[in-house]
Amino acid sequence: MSPAGYRPWRLIARLARRRRSAILAYHGVERMAPGDDPELLCIDPDRFELHMRLLAEAGYEFVTVREFVERSPAAGLIAISFDDGLANLRSVALPILQRYGIPATVYVTTGLIGEPYPWMPESSGVRVMDAADIAALAQAGIEIGAHTVRHRDLSRCSYEEALAEMTDSRETLERLTEREVATFAYPYARFSDLAERAARDAGFTAAVSYSMLATPGDRFALSRELVTPQHGPASVVLKVLGRYDSLSNSLAGRVGRLLTRPLRRRPKAPLRPRV
């Protein structure tokens, strides 16, 4: 995006800061070869940095998800979160975050620690963090959150199954980081009343979902805005404003996507929302 196209969205973000806060949800940060990321889970590092710079220059205060919950409903806060715990968060995302002094929260699926990332071809080389990566992120001030052991859809689990997934993943991460694990992310962003009760009983202070599945005012069904490689600065600002979904689904939004499709860097692929 050119400086001329970037500045209006920075101004809009600055105005929005006075009345809204938001949690953004990413997965990985890495430049991917065509075909290696069919579910659009890794954002290009340059685009990710542009998102961070836009929000920093708009004057937002960056916090972890735990801090976001503790300070809610304050305006002007942004929490950057990542799901699954890809290894490129340490090698690629962390230097960008540190450049802007941004804390973040990483939700780790403990049963995948050190393994190839199952939602991308093994030939892509994308892996989940190992124990040393997780400890290094915690030492760098990144909040480590739990994301179950096996990335199960908790909306289909019993209370006992959900509780075991939560407590087992939490205990593993607390052992690796020597820090309290305070927040949780529901896999696929899906949960049930039983899973929400399990999150409370597991001792978490909050649990996050996606905006379309969240419950206003419920810190165990917190809203996050999913950001994919297709989202540029304009989309990020609209997500922070809480207007992206309504505008995207409108007639004008559909026409806009059709007209701008040739300008997008990466081919359109089916997106199955997941965390």
Side-chain angles (χ1 to χ4, degrees):
M1 175 176 286
S2 67
Y6 171 88
R7 282 194 293 269
W9 291 106
R10 182 177 58 192
L11 175 60
I12 293 170
R14 185 173 293 132
L15 295 173
R17 171 177 56 85
R18 301 172 184 173
R19 59 189 181 88
R20 271 191 67 87
S21 293
I23 307 173
L24 300 182
Y26 295 82
H27 285 82
V29 181
E30 189 167 340
R31 189 168 290 112
M32 303 300 300
D36 275 350
D37 188 8
E39 296 195 40
L40 301 180
L41 297 174
C42 279
I43 187 171
D44 184 272
D46 292 339
R47 174 161 287 197
F48 177 70
E49 181 163 6
L50 185 60
H51 293 176
M52 299 302 102
R53 180 161 64 89
L54 169 69
L55 295 170
E57 291 179 354
Y60 278 94
E61 181 182 356
F62 292 92
V63 294
T64 64
V65 172
R66 180 177 188 171
E67 292 168 335
F68 187 96
V69 174
E70 290 171 348
R71 296 178 58 181
S72 180
L77 305 178
I78 291 288
I80 305 298
S81 65
F82 301 90
D83 291 346
D84 300 340
L86 278 67
N88 56 42
L89 299 181
R90 181 185 181 187
S91 59
V92 183
L94 182 60
I96 297 172
L97 295 170
Q98 290 177 325
R99 193 173 303 140
Y100 293 88
I102 296 173
T105 301
V106 175
Y107 291 105
V108 181
T109 304
T110 55
L112 297 176
I113 290 174
E115 298 293 326
Y117 190 49
W119 292 280
M120 290 183 187
E122 193 166 347
S123 60
S124 70
V126 177
R127 302 180 66 85
V128 176
M129 293 187 292
D130 60 23
D133 293 325
I134 295 168
L137 284 186
Q139 288 288 339
I142 301 297
E143 178 192 5
I144 302 298
H147 198 37
T148 73
V149 178
R150 294 179 291 276
H151 206 281
R152 298 180 65 184
D153 181 350
L154 298 184
S155 69
R156 300 181 178 182
C157 292
S158 68
Y159 167 82
E160 291 77 14
E161 290 170 328
L163 184 63
E165 286 280 339
M166 294 173 182
T167 55
D168 289 354
S169 62
R170 179 181 186 180
E171 289 170 2
T172 296
L173 293 170
E174 288 184 336
R175 186 172 63 253
L176 291 175
T177 64
E178 298 182 343
R179 287 169 169 77
E180 180 186 12
V181 172
T183 64
F184 176 80
Y186 297 106
Y188 307 102
R190 294 194 288 267
F191 60 97
S192 63
D193 290 343
L194 292 176
E196 187 174 345
R197 179 159 65 90
R200 294 174 184 271
D201 292 347
F204 296 110
T205 61
V208 295
S209 179
Y210 285 157
S211 57
M212 71 288 280
L213 299 172
T215 304
D218 186 348
R219 63 189 174 96
F220 286 91
L222 279 177
S223 174
R224 291 188 300 169
E225 294 291 337
L226 176 64
V227 184
T228 78
Q230 293 180 315
H231 292 137
S235 296
V236 168
V237 173
L238 290 174
K239 284 178 175 290
V240 170
L241 282 168
R243 298 295 305 277
Y244 179 85
D245 289 338
S246 60
L247 290 175
S248 180
N249 293 327
S250 68
L251 176 60
R254 294 195 296 270
V255 171
R257 288 198 302 276
L258 179 64
L259 294 176
T260 59
R261 184 177 296 175
L263 302 178
R264 297 174 192 169
R265 293 184 179 182
R266 299 177 59 178
K268 188 174 179 63
L271 180 62
R272 298 186 286 279
R274 45 176 308 284
V275 182

